[in-house]
């Protein structure tokens, strides 16, 4: 390929553009180096023949805690085992002729530091490398993993205590909520009471949103999320309300004496709290996403089957829209 002939290069490539504007080549390269430095990256060019740095951003000497790196080799700057590891990757880059990303741990003045390095061959004689330090990033990741591990232990202990306290109470072992028979009975009583007293109430059906990543983790992940929903419902419903588990991944809440607008506002707040909730399995935050369908008595419907059907339809609509939202059930006019 003739690098001086722009027509022989890949269309719309930087190489093609530079070949057509040779007078800007040096300025363009200097500009790219200047642009990556504020992002925390450091560029360097090394001669392949002797391994000496022929160019380096000012930050490279600071990174290695040296007065200068240009004219030096890695063997003069780093330990022997570290130099061998760097050289091994450089040989791979020169053989493959395409960018290679690698991770390196270097001990600099007694401190262990971690770097990500992207390398690219420049012809047969030079090697371009862009360094990015990841020491603090890795430190934060380690701290986060420790925190998630502590949260997982605490959640497990809370659930174990809750199960022991609720043994024989007739509640669902996973969520700690009452089950479908109790809910159906409570719904019928609420319809009867609200009809006699001419008041309204809201019915909310809640579904756990499907997640391929969570599904791949198996039943333990599903149980953690169901436990999480149970905790949120127990903490965010009044004594006069009724929250139950009515299916494998379905929950329902009766909001006594609450109108449609208030019910929607309360469930939207609950949805946001669930989305922000940390549910951990094996050090990984699973992410709690739920969809809700809200209907009201008597505006949406006045019979048990119609109320349930309206809320279920709203839940399906919420999940059809992508999940993690609250949808009001349709109200028939006429």
């Amino acid at each position: 390929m003739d690098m001086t002939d722009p027509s022989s290069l890949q269309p719309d490539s930087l190489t093609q553009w530079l070949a057509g504007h040779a007078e800007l080549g040096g300025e363009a390269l200097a500009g790219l180096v200047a642009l990556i430095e504020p992002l925390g990256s450091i560029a360097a060019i090394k001669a392949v023949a002797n391994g000496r740095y022929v160019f380096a951003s000012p930050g490279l000497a600071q990174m290695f805690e040296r007065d200068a790196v240009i004219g030096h080799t890695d063997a003069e700057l780093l330990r022997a085992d570290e130099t061998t590891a760097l050289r091994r990757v450089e040989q791979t880059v020169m053989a493959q002729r395409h960018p290679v990303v690698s991770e390196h741990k270097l001990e600099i003045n007694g401190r262990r530091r971690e770097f990500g390095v992207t390398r690219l061959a420049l012809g047969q004689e030079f090697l371009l490398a862009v360094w990015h330090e990841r020491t603090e990033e890795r430190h934060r990741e380690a701290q986060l993993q420790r925190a998630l591990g502590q949260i997982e232990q605490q959640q497990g202990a809370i659930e174990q205590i809750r199960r022991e306290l609720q043994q024989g109470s007739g509640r669902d072992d996973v969520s700690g909520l009452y089950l479908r028979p109790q809910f159906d009975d409570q719904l019928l009583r609420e319809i009867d009471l609200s009809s006699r007293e001419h008041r309204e109430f809201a019915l909310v059906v809640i579904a756990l949103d499907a997640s391929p990543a969570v599904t791949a983790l198996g039943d333990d992940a599903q149980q953690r999320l169901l436990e999480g929903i149970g905790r949120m419902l127990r903490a965010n419903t009044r004594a006069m309300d009724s929250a139950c588990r009515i299916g494998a991944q379905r929950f329902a809440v009766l909001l006594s004496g609450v109108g449609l607008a208030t019910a929607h506002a309360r469930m939207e707040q609950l949805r946001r709290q669930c989305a922000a909730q940390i549910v951990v399995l094996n050090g990984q935050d699973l992410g709690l996403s739920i969809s809700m369908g809200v209907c009201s008595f008597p505006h949406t419907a006045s019979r048990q089957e119609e109320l349930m059907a309206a809320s279920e339809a709203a839940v399906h609509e919420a999940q059809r829209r992508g999940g993690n939202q609250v949808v009001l059930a349709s109200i028939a006019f006429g």
Side-chain angles (χ1 to χ4, degrees):
M1 181 182 295
D2 184 359
M3 300 296 288
T4 63
D5 180 10
S7 64
S8 69
L9 303 175
Q10 182 179 352
D12 301 324
S13 69
L14 178 60
T15 306
Q16 183 195 45
W17 186 85
L18 288 174
H21 300 80
E23 75 283 1
L24 298 177
E27 184 178 349
L29 181 58
L32 288 174
V33 171
L35 288 174
I36 67 171
E37 287 184 351
L39 300 177
S41 296
I42 301 167
I45 298 176
K46 187 183 294 184
V48 176
N50 56 22
R52 297 190 181 279
Y53 288 97
V54 296
F55 164 79
S57 301
L60 191 64
Q62 298 174 10
M63 187 178 74
F64 285 164
E65 299 182 13
R66 300 280 182 160
D67 293 333
V69 296
I70 295 177
H72 294 277
T73 66
D74 289 326
E76 297 168 349
L77 303 170
L78 304 168
R79 300 188 324 187
D81 58 327
E82 297 169 344
T83 300
T84 301
L86 294 173
R87 184 60 179 165
R88 187 181 302 115
V89 178
E90 290 170 356
Q91 291 172 344
T92 301
V93 175
M94 296 306 297
Q96 294 184 356
R97 317 298 297 176
H98 62 73
V100 174
V101 180
S102 59
E103 299 280 335
H104 297 279
K105 294 182 180 180
L106 307 178
E107 186 173 314
I108 300 175
N109 284 343
R111 182 189 174 203
R112 198 71 165 170
R113 296 164 64 179
E114 298 186 39
F115 302 90
V117 186
T118 304
R119 297 178 177 86
L120 177 66
L122 298 179
Q124 300 293 332
E125 298 180 2
F126 299 100
L127 182 71
L128 171 65
V130 175
W131 292 70
H132 188 87
E133 183 161 6
R134 302 190 182 279
T135 307
E136 293 303 320
E137 178 184 339
R138 296 289 187 263
H139 180 63
R140 289 193 297 270
E141 290 174 354
Q143 288 182 318
L144 175 59
Q145 285 303 310
R146 287 195 295 270
L148 289 175
Q150 291 173 355
I151 291 172
E152 184 173 3
Q153 290 179 351
Q154 291 170 356
Q155 290 178 343
I158 290 171
E159 290 301 322
Q160 182 60 35
I161 294 171
R162 190 263 306 163
R163 288 190 181 92
E164 293 174 356
L165 293 175
Q166 292 182 349
Q167 276 186 342
S169 65
R171 292 175 179 264
D172 173 43
D173 188 52
V174 175
S175 67
L177 303 174
Y178 285 112
L179 296 167
R180 184 66 184 254
Q182 291 93 334
F183 175 76
D184 289 338
D185 182 62
Q186 182 66 31
L187 178 56
L188 287 173
R189 288 205 304 268
E190 190 68 35
I191 291 173
D192 179 63
L193 181 63
S194 297
S195 297
R196 286 189 282 107
E197 297 186 357
H198 303 288
R199 68 178 189 181
E200 57 187 352
F201 71 86
L203 168 63
V204 184
V205 171
I206 303 170
L208 176 63
D209 290 331
S211 167
V214 172
T215 301
L217 295 174
D219 294 339
D220 287 346
Q222 292 291 326
Q223 178 167 322
R224 290 290 185 277
L225 291 175
L226 295 173
E227 289 172 352
I229 295 177
R231 286 194 299 273
M232 297 303 293
L233 289 176
R234 295 196 306 273
N236 289 277
T237 50
R238 304 168 302 172
M240 66 189 72
D241 298 330
S242 177
C244 302
R245 183 181 180 185
I246 61 172
Q249 296 185 344
R250 281 286 196 279
F251 298 82
V253 182
L254 284 175
L255 301 174
S256 182
V258 170
L260 197 59
T262 302
H264 181 272
R266 285 183 54 187
M267 290 303 102
E268 175 60 25
Q269 182 181 18
L270 176 61
R271 182 199 65 77
R272 291 171 184 254
Q273 291 177 346
C274 286
Q277 179 78 356
I278 297 175
V279 179
V280 188
L281 175 66
N282 298 330
Q284 177 181 345
D285 183 10
L286 301 176
L288 180 55
S289 175
I290 59 175
S291 292
M292 300 184 181
V294 184
C295 74
S296 71
F297 172 94
H299 306 293
T300 306
S302 57
R303 298 174 55 191
Q304 179 185 18
E305 298 82 1
E306 294 171 348
L307 287 166
M308 288 298 300
S311 287
E312 283 285 356
V315 164
H316 286 300
E317 176 61 20
Q319 293 187 317
R320 188 191 67 80
R321 297 178 186 177
N324 191 31
Q325 55 186 289
V326 181
V327 171
L328 295 177
S330 300
I331 298 178
F333 294 95

